[in-house]
Amino acid sequence: MRLLKEIKERRLIPFAAAYLVTGFVALEAVDQLISYGMLPEVAYPVTLVLYLFGIPASFIFAWFHGAPGRQYAPRLEVVLQSGLAVVAVVTTVYVYRSQSVRLDFAAESGLPQTSVAVLYFEDLSGDLTPVADGITEALIEQLEQVRSLDVISRNGVLPFRGASTRRDSIARALSVGTLIEGSVQQRGDRLVINTRLVDGFTGVDIDRASVEMPAGQFLEARDSVADGVSRLLRQRLGEEVRVRELRAGTSSPEAWALAQRASRLIDDAEDSFERGNPIVASRESLRQADSLLALASVVDDDWIRPVATRAHVAYRRAWFAASDGDLDSARIRIDEGVGHANRALAMNDRDPVALEQRGTLKMFEAVAMAPPPDQLVRLMTEARTDLEAAVREQPSLASAYASLSFLFTGAGDHVQSVLSARRALEEDAWLRGADRIYDRLVYAQYELEQFRDARYWCDEGRRRFPNNYRFAECQLWLLAAPPSEPDVDAAWRQLARLDSLAPGSLRDFKRGVGQIMVAGVLRKAQLADSAEAVLSRVDHSESVDPQRQLHVYEAGIRASTGDREGALEALRRWVAATPGGTLGPTAELHWWWRDLRTVPEFETFVSRD
């Protein structure tokens, strides 16, 4: 009771409360001054340390001077306050130096400061996600034009959208030294956008910027954020960073917001499909996206972006329909998409996105709809013309190079397929579907007998996509290839890995492919009986292999390991299962069939048309 009376008489609680409130206001003021670039980032932790040490100092002061009457400083107070002051100064110096040391470590970490990733801005209001996404993507597009910066593409940062991954972990995954992150929030009738520059090695905030303007002025906010970020980067890098204005677009914030909502739905459709969800969910997201893009075109009928993007949406809807076996719907979507692309090209006949989408749609029609031979040639020619025009107009259009690579593969031009695929990765190493590009590079090099290069791309694919079945399968193909030493144990391990990673719809077929490759390794190891036992277990049924590819793979592996008669027998079974089937006019050029070229019967399996 006496202690409580002393506390009350010495007014400890009012003194402490006044200090806590005043100190908190001071901290907030320092934070704001840092946001506006008037104080360095280190000012906040230094102020916080001093504030925390001030709490016990305020209690000591109140104890000795809170009671009414004559005031004096006893020796005990002097000793206590002096001790606190010394510890506070030492701690402040330690905090200041530790931040400097961490930044020095960052400089030595091998993560270049000029390598930048813009993380998706956070929506703090809950209903501004399309705006936050649009500001992020616009900022990426603007920074990509700065030659002194190496900016991670939208595809690279997309997997981290909404994730709780640590900043330094993201920086290491993307190999960047600088992160840009931020938030969007509406406060009353004001839109507030905060941006932070983060050191990639330490995960520490380096600097901040803030933009505030009337709600609804999304386009002005987007442009102001770019200006603020250029200032932050200039301070970070010590050099001028000029962010160019965005390409001509729309002056309508309503149209822009509608297009951004559509973009989010397109991403949702792709993500849902990649997670293995039913296609119906992806198709519904794309339908909604198409409706929003149509509205954006009504709001601003001079803006080409919604029209060209509708062509892309139509292509994805056609792809999903074909994957679901609905070829009639796929045909309708292809025609719709070509119509959208043509309307966009009527607005600008050199628009790279519209050219790319029209070329991609025509290529898809050629591949998926089984047109007559003359129509097939026409579609592939027109697709190539459009895609090559697209990359002439925009040499950084990685997705168009990826489509060209696929087109050249289908035409049997593996050299051009490799060149286009490599260019796609050079322009955007994080391109969506990069796993398929790596896979294409493996087999194009395999076809060209460039096995060392094929091995490189297979290993790179496995490093980038460790849980992707494609890179367990390519390991098997390369183990069965002529230059490899026969490693039977490795072949069995890769088969088990392929069987565990392949998606359910493909697992039985991929198991058959893997068994054939294991048999090839066994034949190379002079274990012919074991190879025959493995081949006898391959399931050639139509439900597993509707296109009857496994017979051809078996024939190729047998031919490449010296079993001519076994190869011919496998080809006979293939022809029996696919009446009228031929290997195609360029088949005899494949190294698989080198030992069969002088066998008269082999000629019957090769088309001359």
Side-chain angles (χ1 to χ4, degrees), residues 447 449 584-594 597 602 606:
E447 298 283 335
E449 292 186 89
T586 62
E588 61 183 345
L589 300 177
H590 196 290
W591 60 267
W592 264 1
W593 316 117
R594 190 169 290 142
R597 290 172 186 166
F602 181 67
V606 179

Side-chain angles (χ1 to χ4, degrees), residues 529-580:
D529 290 343
S530 297
E532 293 301 322
V534 172
L535 288 170
S536 68
R537 296 199 293 270
V538 176
D539 187 349
H540 290 280
S541 64
E542 185 175 3
S543 60
V544 171
D545 181 20
Q547 297 181 337
R548 304 302 193 182
Q549 293 172 283
L550 294 177
H551 289 300
V552 178
Y553 294 160
E554 179 184 340
I557 287 298
R558 286 184 180 275
S560 66
T561 54
D563 182 10
R564 288 188 179 186
E565 183 51 42
L568 292 170
E569 177 57 32
L571 288 173
R572 294 183 197 114
R573 293 198 303 272
W574 172 63
V575 170
T578 56

